[in-house]
Amino acid sequence: MLNAIEPVDIEAIEAVDWGGLPGPADLYRPDHAATGLRALATATGLVQAADAGALLAGGGLLHDHSGAVFPAAVVAAPILLAIARHGRPQAGATALGLLDDALAFATHDGRRTRVATPYAEAVPICCALADHLRRGADLLAAAGHEGKRLLAEAAAHWRFDVREVAAEGDGAVALGSLSGRFPDGDGTRAAELHRGGRIAPLEQVVLHYPPEDGSPDACLAHPRRAPGRTRRARRPVPRPMRPGIDA
């Protein structure tokens, strides 16, 4: 009987150059990231899980005393989700708690740290974490109140993948797919356009046609013409409020 997650996940921990990831020198401890993840993946009880969590929250993935979160947390997110899925209950609860803290810290992190992802080169940590959490939606939905709350918090960091842009009046409409939940309210939000490694601010976007019948397909409208084809829209966070979209 396995007492930990599948061996492939241990190999994934070893494959990461944790020391090569950026982070503030006075807070980030890459050795805590590697050691803590290995310990959490093999934890068989509450004490072992707590000790591993202390390493990861004490400079490995985040620094709980200062409320800082590091790019290592984004790299570790799939590993933490795997621990939550395959590990012992105490380890899984610790993994979800770390993801919850990382998302909360990143939302309010004054450093506004960004990370490279497969779909954009400078994504806010909170948005990158939210993308990973959405991929674990089935796990979180089955994880009780805490898992559902974490999934709802991730949904607030929406992303719109643009497939096609067309002119409409003095502006443009974009067809694509919506991940997360477009903010409620007056329906108009500021956003970021990620294209070709560059970020362009959009003063306002509107959810022209929302997704229907469980499909992510949607349409955003921008009142001023957007040049050429676009790739990614995200909203910058107004401080100190929690974001609807993050940038």
Side-chain angles (χ1 to χ4, degrees), residues 73-236:
V74 177
V75 178
I79 299 171
L80 291 173
L81 287 169
I83 293 173
R85 189 181 298 275
H86 299 293
R88 290 296 181 90
Q90 298 90 342
T94 300
L96 292 183
L98 288 163
L99 287 167
D100 191 11
D101 286 346
L103 183 60
F105 291 172
T107 298
H108 299 287
D109 185 4
R111 297 174 180 84
R112 306 298 296 139
T113 306
R114 295 174 180 259
V115 296
T117 70
Y119 48 82
E121 296 180 13
V123 175
I125 284 184
C126 54
C127 293
L129 286 169
D131 286 332
H132 284 299
L133 292 171
R134 280 192 285 269
R135 294 188 192 103
D138 61 329
L139 168 69
L140 296 177
H145 173 74
E146 291 301 317
K148 292 182 175 67
R149 180 181 57 80
L150 185 54
L151 193 56
E153 290 178 357
H157 301 260
W158 64 264
R159 189 183 84 237
F160 189 78
D161 299 311
V162 180
R163 291 194 298 268
E164 186 176 346
V165 176
E168 183 177 85
D170 293 332
V173 293
L175 304 176
S177 58
L178 178 67
S179 299
R181 184 186 67 252
F182 194 85
D184 298 326
D186 61 9
T188 300
R189 292 293 183 269
E192 283 184 357
L193 178 66
H194 290 242
R195 181 179 59 185
R198 297 184 178 183
I199 303 172
L202 301 177
E203 292 182 2
Q204 56 181 334
V205 294
V206 179
L207 186 59
H208 206 38
Y209 294 108
E212 295 181 351
D213 301 324
S215 170
D217 293 343
C219 176
L220 286 184
H222 179 49
R224 294 191 302 178
R225 189 180 304 277
R229 290 182 176 273
T230 58
R231 274 293 181 248
R232 190 73 50 172
R234 292 179 178 272
R235 173 189 177 226

Side-chain angles (χ1 to χ4, degrees), residues 1-10 41-44 86-89:
M1 179 181 296
L2 291 178
N3 290 330
I5 58 173
E6 298 170 351
V8 64
D9 295 307
I10 299 296
T42 55
T44 58
H86 299 293
R88 290 296 181 90

